């Protein structure tokens, strides 16, 4: 079922510091900042040869990453996004296997404009998993 | 400086459950278990088209991942490993930029038989980073 790692998301408490860490200290290529008000985040992508790191910073009130940052004030790895061919087939197989999907189980349009779902971290080794149909 | 994401490591409290999650529920290809007593872990690799996930389980007393699991009893993302061409060049550039290297600053031989270093999570957005010379 699992395809490529589309990205690894890191929630960050300070986007200037995050851009300096990845762009200058670690010498990686960064995208411009992108505000995604419908997702409650500002994102910067770190382009690596085989995948991306997504730096996530809260945007607006009630950002979905704020509680994570409250618990992890230095920031930290927030989720892994795996690609799947067909998100409905993947969802139905996971539900049949007893795994829990966050929200109402209907795919949403994610930050890349493609259908995504999030899986319950307690069913997957404490790791928040995003599935993205590509 | 940063090359490919070599692997994303997930610390797991139960290796049977972890193998079932990734091998059966998520339908990914798993390596056989590998005991690495010199690193205090048993590892299983999840092979994905563009990178690997490394499932880490404590081996023996004083495993370096035990305190992480004490704090995160469900498991969780433990570190990201980025590839670099020359680990000593990378280290010296990072030190010159004020970043902290864990341990004595000398590369060790990592789980893949190649020189590795770990960077201080507080200098990198709460994320433990492993650099591996490939």
């Amino acid at each position: 079922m699992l395809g490529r790692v589309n990205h690894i998301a890191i929630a960050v408490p300070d986007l200037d510091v995050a851009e300096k860490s990845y762009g200058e200290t670690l010498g990686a290529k960064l995208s411009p900042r992108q505000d995604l008000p419908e997702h409650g985040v500002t994102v910067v992508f770190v382009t690596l040869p085989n995948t991306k790191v997504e730096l996530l910073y809260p945007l607006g009130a009630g950002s979905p990453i704020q509680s994570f940052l409250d618990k992890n004030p230095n920031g930290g790895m927030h989720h892994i996004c795996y690609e799947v061919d067909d998100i409905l087939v993947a969802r139905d197989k996971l539900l049949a296997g007893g795994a829990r999907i966050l929200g109402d189980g209907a795919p949403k349009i994610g930050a890349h404009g493609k259908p995504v779902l999030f899986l319950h971290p307690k069913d997957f080794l404490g790791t928040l998993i995003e599935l993205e149909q590509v």
Side-chain angles (χ1 to χ4, degrees), chain A:
Chain A
M1 177 193 296
L2 291 191
R4 298 171 73 256
V5 172
N6 184 276
H7 62 269
I8 303 131
I10 299 176
V12 307
D14 184 319
L15 206 43
D16 292 329
V17 169
E19 287 173 329
K20 186 158 186 285
S21 282
Y22 270 87
E24 291 179 31
T25 312
L26 293 170
K29 191 179 160 201
L30 304 185
S31 76
R33 293 181 186 195
Q34 202 179 339
D35 286 340
L36 302 172
E38 70 281 22
H39 294 283
V41 290
T42 298
V43 299
V44 171
F45 292 103
V46 180
T47 305
L48 298 167
N50 60 334
T51 189
K52 296 187 289 281
V53 168
E54 187 180 82
L55 304 172
L56 297 176
Y57 180 74
L59 175 66
S63 169
I65 63 167
Q66 190 58 57
S67 67
F68 180 89
L69 285 169
D70 292 341
K71 282 180 220 145
N72 302 276
N74 295 312
M77 286 185 272
H78 184 266
H79 67 263
I80 305 184
C81 177
Y82 297 113
E83 298 177 357
V84 293
D85 286 334
D86 185 319
I87 203 155
L88 294 178
V89 168
R91 177 196 63 183
D92 292 345
K93 183 165 175 251
L94 289 166
L95 288 173
R100 287 169 286 179
I101 311 292
L102 296 187
D104 64 5
K108 305 279 184 292
I109 297 303
H112 310 100
K114 298 190 174 159
V116 302
L117 282 175
F118 284 88
L119 313 185
H120 200 302
K122 286 205 178 160
D123 293 340
F124 293 96
L125 315 161
T127 301
L128 180 60
I129 292 178
E130 180 180 14
L131 297 181
E132 179 173 311
Q133 178 174 306
V134 290

